Amino acid sequence: MIIASLLASASLAGCAPLAGASRTVGPTVQFVLVGEIHGTNEAPQILSDLLCAAKVTRRPVVVALEQPESAQADIDRFLASDGREKAASVFKTSAIWRQPIPDGRSSQAYFELFQRLRVAKAGGYRISVVAFQPSLSGAMPPQSDYNRLMAERLLAASKARRNALTLVLVGNVHASKAAIKSGDTTIVPTGAWLPANKTLSLLVRNGGGLAWNCWGKDNCGPHPTGNEPPRPRAVRYELPIREGYDGEIDLGAPTTPSPPVAPAPD
């Protein structure tokens, strides 16, 4: 387990500078969607780097994570704890880490992100951490409706903190602001339900690396994320940007896989 001391006098220690981040956390921005492929070490870290950049604005920050809203009480208890072995062991019994198919959101990198958020909050950083994946009973609704429900939860979390910047870590399809055609179906992603002029959607480029996720129930492990070459580390807004996104985050190196906190169920 990695538990780092994150607070320095003026910023959160343990973060790396990220070119272009100052525009990302500008005063007119309400939502920043970071669209990831789940299961890497780098995407949760990049959210921490954006949180560091946001600190200089002195705005309250909502950190919204694509985790089940039913786990909110577990998250709140852990963030209020000392983060030591006993608290960590209790937190690891949460449903977050025991999904039937571990899709990357139950990774060790996510646990380390929670640790960083806990330390930042304990150090006086005005952050709220919100799980916004809807807890549903019955049949799964159509994808557009599901994305609308996630957007409603983001809007509610933002409204609860006046003048807050909401940093959202979410799957890259959900982060798009453009409708997506899938066969005969059109999916309206989460990003498209948010106010367009106040929302920045940033696609994480994976630099030809690996992610730990499941390609079917019996094929879980490190998988390639594509063959795009890595570019220097930065947030980029110049064209060409993929449709539905306002910019891209280059990590500076290929992604590396982060395995789940708990082993996949048999």
Side-chain angles (χ1 to χ4, degrees), residues 237-254:
Y237 301 95
E238 70 270 15
L239 295 176
I241 299 296
R242 292 176 226 191
E243 184 182 8
Y245 304 92
D246 299 299
E248 296 181 351
I249 300 178
D250 285 294
L251 301 172

Side-chain angles (χ1 to χ4, degrees), residues 21-249:
S22 58
R23 175 178 169 183
T24 300
V25 299
T28 63
V29 179
Q30 183 178 4
F31 298 97
V32 179
L33 305 181
V34 178
E36 66 160 346
I37 290 179
H38 302 312
T40 73
N41 286 297
E42 288 72 19
Q45 177 61 52
I46 211 75
L47 191 80
S48 298
D49 296 339
L50 290 175
L51 187 62
C52 291
K55 187 171 175 63
V56 300
T57 71
R58 299 186 181 276
R59 294 169 66 186
V61 177
V62 176
V63 178
L65 303 176
E66 191 187 352
Q67 298 288 353
E69 61 183 356
S70 60
Q72 186 67 53
D74 296 336
I75 293 170
D76 292 342
R77 277 192 294 270
F78 181 69
L79 294 179
S81 75
D82 61 9
R84 297 182 185 274
E85 184 175 355
K86 182 177 179 180
S89 296
V90 171
F91 186 39
K92 287 178 181 179
T93 65
S94 173
I96 290 175
W97 317 110
R98 302 181 182 279
Q99 298 298 317
I101 299 179
D103 65 1
R105 289 174 296 140
S106 57
S107 70
Q108 294 176 13
Y110 259 90
F111 179 78
E112 291 160 12
L113 173 60
F114 279 115
Q115 281 283 19
R116 293 193 292 272
L117 295 172
R118 181 193 62 76
V119 174
K121 192 174 178 68
Y125 198 165
R126 292 189 298 161
I127 61 173
S128 302
V129 181
V130 175
F132 68 94
Q133 181 188 7
S135 296
L136 304 171
S137 58
M140 180 77 175
Q143 279 296 310
S144 291
D145 291 341
Y146 181 76
N147 279 274
R148 175 179 53 79
L149 291 172
M150 289 207 292
E152 287 176 357
R153 284 151 175 78
L154 292 174
L155 288 163
S158 176
K159 185 177 180 180
R161 296 292 298 273
R162 186 177 179 182
N163 194 37
L165 174 69
T166 301
L167 297 179
V168 186
L169 185 58
V170 67
N172 52 20
V173 173
H174 298 302
S176 175
K177 295 165 66 175
I180 299 169
K181 286 285 287 184
S182 178
D184 296 330
T185 303
T186 298
I187 298 172
V188 183
T190 303
W193 295 100
L194 298 173
N197 63 335
K198 297 180 180 180
T199 301
L200 280 179
S201 179
L202 304 175
L203 180 66
V204 177
R205 292 182 78 253
N206 296 290
L210 299 172
W212 202 107
N213 50 32
C214 294
W215 290 6
K217 185 177 180 180
D218 300 320
N219 186 12
C220 296
H223 294 119
T225 59
N227 56 7
E228 57 191 15
R231 299 188 299 201
R233 194 174 188 275
V235 184
R236 303 181 188 280
Y237 301 95
E238 70 270 15
L239 295 176
I241 299 296
R242 292 176 226 191
E243 184 182 8
Y245 304 92
D246 299 299
E248 296 181 351
I249 300 178

